[in-house]
Amino acid sequence: MSDLHKARRNKKDEFYTQFEDIQKELSHYRKHFEGKIVYCNCDDPYISNFFDYFAKSFESLKLKKLISTSFQNEQPNLFSQHIDGRGLKIVYEGDKDGDGLPSIKETKITKLKGDGDFRSEECIEFLQEADIVCTNPPFSLFREYLNQLMQYQKKFLIIGNIMQSGSKEIFPFFFENKIWMGPSISGGDREFGVPDYYQLKASGFRIDDDGRKFIRVKGVRWFTNLSHDKQNQKIELIKNYSPEKYPHYDNYDAIEVGEVADIPQNWGGANGRSYYIFR
């Protein structure tokens, strides 16, 4: 079993999204943020590139408020080494001193009553206040996390593994066109930062010149219910259906299609790809 799989099995799944990946994806949604409250509910403000991005882009996005909460545990080097079992909340409401940059003096930092778990009562109150949620939730809790967002009818942009899209909890949302994939990641893998205490030896693991640890993760995608500029691009279909090229499933009325580009132009039924069905 790989070190990454061991980490997930042990729920050591703190993977820090890179600033460049956040910036690239968020460029497709800028129209949604004016006057909105953004909540990053799985993010230590001292580590999170999500908080960093939204704080630095606060004025250009014309945000109303930025809230970030972090889960607290006793692992060293995780969430700024707090050891009293309480999470953190940080609120930023824009540039106050006119220098155009966020600073500690312009933020309100408080300790939470509890540990900052996104499922806690106080974090759900922050969730209800927010307009848009944007974060990298724990991989091991992704299904529960996404279902909470749907339950509270929140707009969101979150990062996760594409294999989650085929689960019985999440696939119906795709099928009903309630959520979809973001445009900036369509294949390959992405590099994430990990805490210092991670003991990883996988092939995609590295340490930079500053001693920071990183690992490459396959199958990463953005999940969202925010419309974006590439969502309704027309796909030019050039393939034609034949029973030999497109086998029919035994237990579902659909044909197997390996890639979106291979969808036959003269087939009017459902198409399947390994772990999900699309129309």
Side-chain angles (χ1 to χ4, degrees):
M1 182 180 291
S2 72
D3 287 317
L4 177 58
H5 289 160
K6 289 178 182 177
R8 288 176 179 168
R9 183 190 64 190
N10 296 327
K11 299 195 176 177
K12 293 180 179 179
D13 51 6
E14 282 300 322
F15 297 107
Y16 308 138
T17 311
Q18 299 303 293
F19 188 94
E20 294 77 10
D21 290 327
I22 297 169
Q23 186 178 42
K24 187 176 181 180
E25 180 68 20
L26 265 294
S27 67
H28 298 280
Y29 305 90
R30 298 184 68 87
K31 65 182 180 181
H32 294 287
F33 287 90
E34 183 174 353
K36 297 299 193 296
I37 298 174
V38 173
Y39 183 27
C40 306
N41 59 349
C42 297
D43 299 82
D44 185 325
Y46 299 112
I47 298 173
S48 169
N49 284 316
F50 282 97
F51 182 85
D52 190 27
Y53 172 84
F54 283 112
K56 290 179 178 177
S57 305
F58 195 96
E59 272 68 40
S60 64
L61 291 174
K62 300 180 181 180
L63 296 179
K64 179 180 180 181
K65 183 190 293 188
L66 172 60
I67 305 171
S68 178
T69 53
S70 64
F71 177 74
Q72 173 56 46
N73 66 33
E74 296 180 2
Q75 290 287 356
N77 299 318
L78 182 63
F79 296 136
S80 305
Q81 301 186 32
H82 304 150
I83 58 174
D84 64 358
R86 295 166 63 187
L88 279 181
K89 175 189 176 185
I90 184 168
V91 175
Y92 179 67
E93 296 184 87
D95 179 39
K96 306 298 183 185
D97 58 17
D99 66 356
L101 296 172
S103 68
I104 292 295
K105 293 181 180 179
E106 296 170 325
T107 59
K108 182 180 180 181
I109 304 173
T110 57
K111 284 193 174 183
L112 298 172
K113 297 177 182 177
D115 61 9
D117 190 308
F118 68 86
R119 297 163 294 189
S120 67
E121 184 175 331
E122 61 183 331
C123 287
I124 289 176
E125 288 182 6
F126 306 143
L127 176 66
Q128 291 176 306
E129 178 186 0
D131 298 301
I132 302 174
V133 178
C134 193
T135 190
N136 176 1
F139 285 176
S140 62
L141 299 174
F142 186 86
R143 300 179 193 183
E144 185 174 359
Y145 181 87
L146 181 55
N147 272 280
Q148 184 190 77
L149 295 179
M150 301 302 290
Q151 176 186 349
Y152 287 94
Q153 300 180 346
K154 291 299 170 181
K155 294 294 183 180
F156 61 85
L157 177 64
I158 60 176
I159 199 164
N161 192 287
I162 192 172
M163 294 301 293
Q164 299 283 0
S165 63
S167 68
K168 64 181 181 180
E169 296 91 349
I170 296 177
F171 172 74
F173 298 136
F174 279 95
F175 191 79
E176 296 167 7
N177 201 35
K178 293 181 178 179
I179 64 174
W180 43 85
M181 297 292 183
S184 71
I185 304 176
S186 58
D189 52 16
R190 284 297 181 274
E191 189 173 69
F192 293 81
V194 294
D196 292 342
Y197 69 87
Y198 270 42
Q199 300 297 318
L200 298 174
K201 299 179 182 178
S203 59
F205 172 61
R206 74 175 178 91
I207 301 177
D208 70 8
D209 294 338
D210 296 319
R212 296 175 300 182
K213 294 183 177 182
F214 299 87
I215 189 169
R216 298 200 72 85
V217 181
K218 295 182 178 180
V220 173
R221 296 292 188 275
W222 290 97
F223 293 67
T224 189
N225 58 358
L226 294 169
S227 61
H228 55 74
D229 50 6
K230 293 188 177 182
Q231 185 178 352
N232 296 312
Q233 284 186 331
K234 185 177 180 180
I235 302 174
E236 296 294 336
L237 303 177
I238 61 174
K239 301 294 180 68
N240 290 307
Y241 168 77
S242 71
E244 296 78 18
K245 293 181 179 180
Y246 298 95
H248 202 282
Y249 293 119
D250 293 331
N251 58 352
Y252 193 86
D253 186 16
I255 57 173
E256 169 69 17
V257 178
E259 301 292 339
V260 172
D262 293 331
I263 297 174
Q265 61 180 330
N266 57 342
W267 171 259
N271 309 279
R273 180 185 174 188
S274 301
Y275 49 85
Y276 59 86
I277 304 295
F278 53 94
R279 294 185 183 276

